[in-house]
Amino acid sequence: MILNVDLASEVPIYQQLRDRIVEAIAEGVLTEGSTLPATRALAADFGINFHTVNKAYDLLRQQGLIRLNRKTGAVVIATAVDSPFRAEWTARARTVLAEAVAKGLPADEVLKTCRSVLDSFGTTQPEDTPCLLSSP
């Protein structure tokens, strides 16, 4: 797995790490049972503090995407969609879509982007079904 982060970005490094790992799970690069690099090793690879990696891993744990264990390290786990996640996700998607509309993107372009992003994760989406996710 190759993670790309921008050390000069305004987005915190821990958030970038978390986002790239979530994308790798969605793309099928990381599957249930996949192990993530040790925090100290990943921190050394990027030249960052290992607490930054710990923070990213802890977010993933809180969100039910990985299990942390002293013996096995960070491991991707199977997840089920629950009601609190649906509500939170819908609110985040609404904000991202609002940004697109506020910036003047036409609805058909937003929907096309949604389909393209979902397709990149190997999902199938009927043509007439709208999605609620956009990629910047």
Side-chain angles (χ1 to χ4, degrees), residues 12-88:
I13 296 169
Y14 75 89
Q15 186 68 46
Q16 291 182 57
L17 288 171
R18 179 252 176 226
D19 293 348
R20 298 302 82 77
I21 292 168
V22 169
E23 290 167 6
I25 293 168
E27 292 166 352
V29 173
L30 292 174
T31 58
E32 182 180 1
S34 296
T35 58
L36 299 179
T39 55
R40 291 184 189 277
L42 190 56
D45 288 346
F46 284 110
I48 59 176
N49 190 299
F50 79 95
H51 291 293
T52 302
V53 179
N54 276 338
K55 190 169 184 175
Y57 282 11
D58 192 51
L59 274 175
L60 292 163
R61 181 195 56 79
Q62 290 173 21
Q63 296 165 344
L65 294 168
I66 67 171
R67 179 185 69 246
L68 295 174
N69 183 301
R70 289 192 187 275
K71 292 183 180 181
T72 59
V75 179
V76 175
I77 59 175
T79 60
V81 177
D82 58 11
S83 293
F85 170 77
R86 283 186 193 274
E88 178 186 334

Side-chain angles (χ1 to χ4, degrees), residues 83-135:
S83 293
F85 170 77
R86 283 186 193 274
E88 178 186 334
W89 180 85
T90 299
R92 289 192 333 249
R94 181 175 174 77
T95 300
V96 171
L97 293 173
E99 289 175 18
V101 170
K103 292 287 188 173
L105 288 176
D108 61 335
E109 185 176 338
V110 173
L111 289 173
K112 183 178 175 183
T113 300
C114 287
R115 286 189 185 99
S116 175
V117 170
L118 284 172
D119 288 346
S120 76
F121 299 140
T123 62
T124 56
Q125 179 85 10
E127 273 299 310
D128 60 345
T129 305
C131 74
L132 296 175
L133 180 62
S134 178
S135 175

